[in-house]
Amino acid sequence: MDLDTITAVLRPGSLDALPPWREGDAWLAGGTWLFSEPQPALARLIDLSALGWPAAERSEAGLRLSATGTIAELDRLDLPKEWIAAPLVGQCCRALLGSFKIWKRASVGGNLCLALPAGPMIALTAALDGTCVLHRPDGSERRLAVINFVLGPQCTALEPGEILRCIELPATALRRRTAFRRIALSPEGRSGALVIGTRDRGGAFALTVTASTPRPVQFGFDALPTMDALQGVIAAAIPADGWYDDVHGAPDWRRHVTGRLAEEIREELAR
């Protein structure tokens, strides 16, 4: 970040104390990306850490993850035994490759708002039917499914001045069986494909594809599909030019490994 452009750093103690949003503002949570490269368009930082939001709140309805909670705090959560999807939390946390310093600063909400295809918090919350709770400048709230929150690389449905307050994960999703697969070009590389499957007690199956596509893609089935049916749905929904292309993986490779991981997940959840 170019500190010469920053004229103020504000730390409001409550949502009511938030200043009116203006061009050149940026919300600051962990700041692991914000401080990693020049941001010449920014003039004022609004630090959300003083708002004091708890990292997570459990209830009969499910799990509420604060946007300012860190990856380290999320990984340490002790979740109820009946929430058998709990191992998925740690799997997705460890998909964020970084030092313990990054884990202690990087926030769950920041990972979603940065909207990189490989964002593992996007994968986690999308696969568990997460809902984003957005605080609007007029004090009202709106809710949006995670699958519709991330629109593309570094592009979200946030409107000017809106804050991602938290992500709500329903207890019904947390009671599902899960299967996790991830692949990268190198052992410490960014995810080239991150695929998650879930299956509930009634047999319904869902597959969430991230990292290999510009935005998360989810497929739902009333029952476990056959291999051909699953591969056919993926091919029909994601065209040849719909696979992400960057230094972490070519589109044809991402398409191939996504299909392979999807079949591994289907087989695992068939057992």
Side-chain angles (χ1 to χ4, degrees), residues 200-224:
D200 66 19
R201 292 181 179 179
F205 172 81
L207 188 81
T208 304
V209 175
T210 62
S212 57
T213 50
R215 60 178 293 180
V217 181
Q218 192 171 68
F219 310 98
F221 302 84
D222 292 334
L224 192 75

Side-chain angles (χ1 to χ4, degrees), residues 2-250:
D2 186 354
L3 296 179
D4 292 338
T5 68
I6 301 301
T7 60
V9 178
L10 308 181
R11 300 187 78 242
S14 68
L15 286 174
D16 293 338
L18 289 174
W21 180 264
R22 67 191 190 195
E23 187 175 352
D25 283 352
W27 304 119
L28 173 63
T32 53
W33 177 80
L34 200 59
F35 293 116
S36 70
E37 59 182 65
Q39 310 285 351
L42 299 185
R44 187 172 66 167
L45 300 181
I46 305 170
D47 188 352
L48 304 179
S49 61
L51 295 176
W53 296 335
E57 298 172 276
R58 291 181 297 177
S59 70
E60 291 185 1
L63 183 64
R64 183 180 172 104
L65 300 177
S66 166
T68 55
T70 67
I71 304 299
E73 289 174 317
L74 178 61
D75 188 56
R76 291 196 298 265
L77 286 183
D78 184 17
L79 299 178
K81 292 182 179 179
E82 61 268 24
W83 288 358
I84 59 175
L88 187 63
V89 174
Q91 290 170 324
C92 287
C93 286
R94 283 179 283 280
L96 180 67
L97 302 176
S99 69
F100 72 93
K101 294 180 180 180
I102 296 296
W103 267 42
K104 287 185 175 182
R105 294 297 301 173
S107 65
V108 174
N111 195 255
L112 268 79
C113 292
L114 183 54
L116 292 178
M121 297 300 100
I122 298 172
L124 171 68
T125 54
L128 295 180
D129 296 344
T131 298
C132 296
V133 180
L134 310 178
H135 176 82
R136 310 187 78 174
D138 63 3
S140 63
E141 288 184 346
R142 70 178 178 114
R143 283 170 162 75
L144 189 66
V146 171
I147 204 76
N148 297 321
F149 177 77
V150 177
L151 304 179
Q154 295 186 264
C155 180
T156 71
L158 280 171
E159 297 176 357
E162 283 189 326
I163 299 174
L164 174 58
R165 168 68 181 84
C166 64
I167 306 97
E168 296 175 339
L169 306 178
T172 51
L174 290 159
R175 294 191 186 101
R176 296 172 187 156
R177 294 171 56 207
T178 64
F180 171 96
R181 293 292 189 280
R182 173 187 174 275
I183 193 169
L185 289 176
S186 65
E188 302 299 323
R190 181 178 291 179
S191 299
L194 199 166
V195 187
I196 297 171
T198 64
R199 196 176 188 197
D200 66 19
R201 292 181 179 179
F205 172 81
L207 188 81
T208 304
V209 175
T210 62
S212 57
T213 50
R215 60 178 293 180
V217 181
Q218 192 171 68
F219 310 98
F221 302 84
D222 292 334
L224 192 75
T226 64
M227 178 183 69
D228 289 342
L230 179 59
Q231 297 298 328
V233 167
I234 293 173
I238 308 174
D241 60 355
W243 299 93
Y244 196 48
D245 184 9
D246 71 355
V247 297
H248 301 286

